[in-house]
Amino acid sequence: MTKILVIGAAGQLGIELVLALQAQYGVDAVDISDIRVPEDERVMRSRFLHLDATDEYTLSKALEDGRYEAVYHLAAMLSATSEIKPLAAWNLNMQSLLNVLEAAKEGWVNRIFWPSSIAVFGGQTSKKSVPQEALLDPMTVYGISKQAGEYWCRYYHAKFGVDVRSIRYPGLIGHRSEPGGGTTDYAVEIYYAAAAGQSYTCFLQANQALPMMYMDDAVRGTLELMETSADRIQVRTSYNLGAMSFTPIEVTNSIQQHLPNFNVHFKPDHRQGIAKNWPESIDDTAARTDWGWKPKILLPEMTSIMLNAIRKKTQLAVH
Ligand code: SER
């Protein structure tokens, strides 16, 4: 039986990936781990390992015992929190990755997925339709950790044959889990405010375009990448992945198609300083060519899905 471990299963992407992996491979095929216990009951149907991914001994023991076919290593501190706690972010983001790569080098893990981010781009990188091989010029601690992580992945693949695969995610927007500590979090919060009939105060500027993706596309893309045969994976740093690009005012307009009275105020904070260095849009030709990536959901459809799903979820919670 395929055995999979998701590290960071209580996070925004972790919850979603666990649900998708349970659906695809069965609840018993998936083990989950985190330093906090995931609140989602469906996620918790899988066996839970309470562990700190920076703890080399505990993690390597779990991986040696588990002999996993695939490990999805998602534990990380996101961009905005990392700027507040830079050394803790570096320690978590780097040490945990090295622990997983070392376990794979020992032969205890067959395949690793590790997420990178559009945050690897920055200062001197072009802003529009950023190519796969663009200059990486990260301006944040989070971006530096992702850039370094990408090169560690490529190094372990080239030197030790570790099959590690990666995607540079744009901002991820879904309704089953909530983000925390990221610069793109506004694009989830805005839907929750709108669905609750409240106005929203946006921490980015009205015209700050960023690359974004609906969560189901991101999860599907991740599983597709992991199912691709190794000889087709040409990029061993991390794949650019595009879907849509929008500004806070554009998502506001999209919501107003459904809720004409929805109101947004703009009060940019330190996160605007992070966002202004990130790309507006991404060229993902390499992912399309190598493993057939194609986004399905764009802004208008995502807005309907998000508003309906959040309304349904909150109504269920009330009754
Ligand atoms: N969504 C992430 C963040 O905002 C970027 O990878 O930090």
Side-chain angles (χ1 to χ4, degrees):
M1 187 179 85
T2 304
K3 275 186 75 190
I4 297 164
L5 175 66
V6 178
I7 302 172
Q12 183 200 13
L13 178 59
I15 290 171
E16 298 266 6
L17 259 176
V18 170
L19 295 175
L21 289 164
Q22 287 176 338
Q24 182 140 340
Y25 299 100
V27 168
D28 296 335
V30 184
D31 285 355
I32 60 174
S33 84
D34 208 296
I35 42 169
R36 56 195 164 114
V37 182
E39 285 170 16
D40 191 302
E41 285 168 17
R42 292 160 307 160
V43 167
M44 284 300 279
R45 291 176 302 175
S46 288
R47 188 167 78 104
F48 177 59
L49 312 175
H50 205 166
L51 60 83
D52 174 354
T54 63
D55 180 343
E56 188 184 340
Y57 175 77
T58 323
L59 184 65
S60 57
K61 177 92 181 53
L63 296 177
E64 185 179 4
D65 292 347
R67 303 280 165 163
Y68 293 101
E69 168 60 27
V71 170
Y72 292 75
H73 170 39
L74 313 173
M77 200 183 287
L78 290 191
S79 58
T81 315
S82 295
E83 288 307 290
I84 296 161
K85 302 179 195 169
L87 298 186
W90 179 257
N91 182 50
L92 168 59
N93 296 3
M94 287 291 92
Q95 193 55 52
S96 62
L97 173 61
L98 290 169
N99 291 344
V100 176
L101 290 170
E102 277 293 302
K105 178 182 153 192
E106 293 298 328
W108 302 331
V109 175
N110 280 343
R111 236 172 318 143
I112 300 168
F113 177 79
W114 175 78
S116 185
S117 162
I118 53 162
V120 293
F121 303 119
Q124 299 302 313
T125 314
S126 57
K127 289 279 176 288
K128 291 204 168 113
S129 207
V130 175
Q132 179 66 45
E133 303 301 340
L135 171 75
L136 307 184
D137 195 10
M139 305 287 282
T140 58
V141 174
Y142 176 70
I144 297 169
S145 76
K146 291 297 182 188
Q147 180 195 27
E150 286 191 9
Y151 288 115
W152 275 116
C153 289
R154 190 176 69 176
Y155 180 81
Y156 270 75
H157 175 259
K159 188 113 182 174
F160 310 115
V162 169
D163 187 357
V164 51
R165 305 166 182 206
S166 177
I167 285 172
R168 290 172 180 152
Y169 289 121
L172 300 182
I173 300 158
H175 53 82
R176 295 179 203 92
S177 59
E178 286 170 44
T183 301
T184 57
D185 295 9
Y186 92 85
V188 178
E189 293 170 4
I190 198 167
Y191 285 112
Y192 275 87
Q198 294 162 357
S199 61
Y200 180 65
T201 304
C202 183
F203 56 76
L204 296 186
Q205 266 171 219
N207 61 353
Q208 178 63 59
L210 288 172
M212 298 281 183
M213 185 177 290
Y214 181 53
M215 185 61 90
D216 290 19
D217 270 352
V219 167
R220 179 178 51 79
T222 306
L223 298 190
E224 284 169 5
L225 172 64
M226 289 298 272
E227 280 158 11
T228 299
S229 72
D231 56 350
R232 284 175 51 201
I233 312 287
Q234 303 296 317
V235 175
R236 287 292 181 170
T237 48
S238 187
Y239 278 101
N240 280 7
L241 218 62
M244 56 187 127
S245 169
F246 58 75
T247 63
I249 205 70
E250 284 164 348
V251 67
T252 303
N253 292 339
S254 169
I255 292 171
Q256 284 168 341
Q257 302 286 314
H258 302 259
L259 301 167
N261 296 329
F262 177 55
N263 223 329
V264 178
H265 310 282
F266 292 92
K267 206 174 162 208
D269 66 15
H270 75 108
R271 289 168 281 192
Q272 175 57 36
I274 298 175
K276 73 168 197 254
N277 286 303
W278 285 357
E280 290 181 15
S281 59
I282 295 292
D283 177 338
D284 57 10
T285 309
R288 289 174 188 254
T289 310
D290 291 357
W291 48 276
W293 161 248
K294 203 165 184 264
K296 286 187 181 159
I297 309 281
L298 301 180
L299 182 57
E301 192 179 352
M302 180 173 81
T303 296
S304 318
I305 298 171
M306 288 294 287
L307 291 176
N308 285 327
I310 296 168
R311 277 199 199 121
K312 200 166 153 198
K313 184 159 101 168
T314 37
Q315 273 162 14
L316 284 176
V318 169
H319 296 301

